[in-house]
Amino acid sequence: MFKETDIRPQELMKGQAERLAADINRLLKHKNNFVNVACPACGSNESHKTYEKHEIQFVVCDRCETVYANPRPRPEHLEEYYTQSENYAYWNKYIFPASEVVRREKIFKPRVQAVIEICQKLNIPTNTLLEVGAGFGIFCEEVQKTEVFHRIIGVEPTPDLAQTCRDRGIETIENPIEKIDFGNEIIDVIVNFEVIEHLFSPKDFLAKCYELLSDRGILIITCPNSKGFDIATLGKQSSAVDNEHLNLFNINSLTMLFESCGFEVIDRQTPGKLDAELVRKQILLGEFDVANQPFLKEVLIDKWDQIGESFQNFLSKNLLSSNMLLVGQKVR
Ligand SMILES: [Zn+2]
């Protein structure tokens, strides 16, 4: 079974915690300038407070149940946060290299397979694929190996990461997506993994993806699902609730957002594999009390070796994992 510590080596995570704290302090210096926003999924202004974490207030939309940071940092302060982040620099230097082999096998190769299966199932042309947020370029590199797509483009605005992508032989655009214009270029498939939850305006991002896609082209997005098992169970104790994840959609609310941007949602999955283990870890650390949760104690502690894996598979298969994947097709 694939373990959380395989992708987040424990000793390195301690060094990371200090850098993250410094980043958060830098972000909170702008707290007086945080702005109120409507629900990033449905646009409603009706919401109620849920939890606060790292001094950031989260609310739940009364209409679609999206959990979102409100008020939130302005776009220019988010840009400053990511470009000056000590945590990302540390991650890039130590954690990612230490876990690259496992990540490639357990995360990126299955992702490539999922994208190719979706294209085949839906008969999507495979001329050009664009990845927004290409990072270290592992996904692009793996998809290139399959030779399914004729042209693969990575969009990566962070200079160091863009260089890493180019070093891997990937056609790389070192600009934010808003500044990209392909003219008559035809993009069949746009993918982005764990990006949309970080954005000030997910709707603007989806509108830009729509503009870049060819007719019948598809957009594939993965992000946290706030109604999935570990986030719904742990609430603010979930590692998915943090200062960077401003938008925690659920399957239905992200579907609404896709539809409002002109996409037809043609596939929804929750491929997440870590929910049960993340909750179990909190219980074992004494951070999450199951004294009054006999069912969780039985499944996640007492019978873990026998049924833990099949419980996780049940969550993944039934749209109950906290990591979701949506596919939208450009129809209008
Ligand atoms: Zn909403």
Side-chain angles (χ1 to χ4, degrees), residues 180-186 211-212:
I180 296 171
D181 182 5
F182 285 100
N184 290 326
E185 188 60 66
I186 292 171
E211 182 194 312
L212 291 172

Side-chain angles (χ1 to χ4, degrees), residues 39 41-44 61 63-66:
C39 171
C42 75
S44 170
C61 174
R63 199 199 286 174
C64 75
E65 297 178 87
T66 293

Side-chain angles (χ1 to χ4, degrees), residues 93 120 167 209 224 227 248 281 302 306:
K93 198 168 175 192
Q120 285 169 345
D167 292 345
C209 292
K227 295 178 99 174
L248 296 168
K281 194 173 106 182
D302 301 341
Q306 301 96 295

